[in-house]
């Protein structure tokens, strides 16, 4: 199962996310749930980098099947905010379509310092 944790700040923005695992919907290379999640995340990251001035950090821990992404610049631009909201909308749509057996999306409130 893909576990997605989306971190939401006090302003309602989603500056950070963590993805872990594989959907297990089909065999490796044929898993449309994993492919859909990957396309959404990669396109969002690339779009933020290409179309905004926001500063981002992206890392993968392939041995643990973990992807971490965070917009580190503050404030987050309106364009990046829209792209991130679209990402969350897409991930939730996949979860509704394929079910919690394959993908879970959790929104976590961030602790502001």
């Amino acid at each position: 199962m893909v576990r997605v944790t989306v971190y939401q700040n006090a302003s309602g923005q989603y500056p950070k996310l963590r993805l872990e695992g594989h959907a297990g919907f089909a065999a490796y290379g044929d898993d449309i749930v994993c492919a859909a999640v990957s396309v959404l995340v990669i396109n969002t990251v690339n779009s933020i980098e290409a179309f905004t001035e926001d500063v981002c950090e992206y890392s993968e821990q392939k041995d643990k099947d973990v992807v971490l992404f965070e917009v580190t610049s503050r404030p987050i631009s309106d364009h990046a905010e829209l792209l991130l909201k679209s990402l969350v909308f897409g991930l939730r749509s996949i979860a509704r379509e394929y079910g919690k057996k394959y993908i879970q999306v959790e929104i976590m409130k961030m602790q502001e310092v």
Side-chain angles (χ1 to χ4, degrees):
M1 167 195 338
V2 176
R3 287 182 179 87
V4 181
T5 305
V6 181
Y7 296 89
Q8 185 178 41
N9 65 21
S11 300
Q13 297 173 319
Y14 306 120
K16 182 177 178 181
L17 64 123
R18 175 187 170 96
L19 294 95
E20 184 174 3
H22 290 282
F25 182 80
Y28 183 81
D30 293 323
D31 194 323
I32 60 173
V33 175
C34 272
V37 170
S38 294
V39 166
L40 284 174
V41 171
I42 291 167
N43 188 65
T44 300
V45 171
N46 289 341
S47 294
I48 290 171
E49 290 178 347
F51 302 124
T52 77
E53 298 296 320
D54 293 86
V55 177
C56 304
E57 292 181 5
Y58 176 88
S59 65
E60 295 181 30
Q61 299 171 4
K62 292 186 181 197
D63 59 324
K64 297 180 182 179
D65 298 323
V66 173
V67 171
L68 303 168
F69 175 74
E70 182 173 6
V71 178
T72 57
S73 55
R74 299 292 186 267
I76 297 171
S77 71
D78 292 342
H79 295 310
E81 181 179 2
L82 179 60
L83 290 165
L84 291 162
K85 284 182 179 179
S86 179
L87 170 63
V88 172
F89 178 80
L91 293 169
R92 285 178 162 168
S93 296
I94 294 168
R96 276 192 306 276
E97 181 71 24
Y98 291 95
K100 291 183 179 180
K101 179 177 178 183
Y102 302 109
I103 178 173
Q104 291 184 347
V105 180
E106 178 182 15
I107 307 295
M108 297 273 300
K109 301 287 184 184
M110 293 177 71
Q111 300 295 322
E112 302 290 327
V113 193

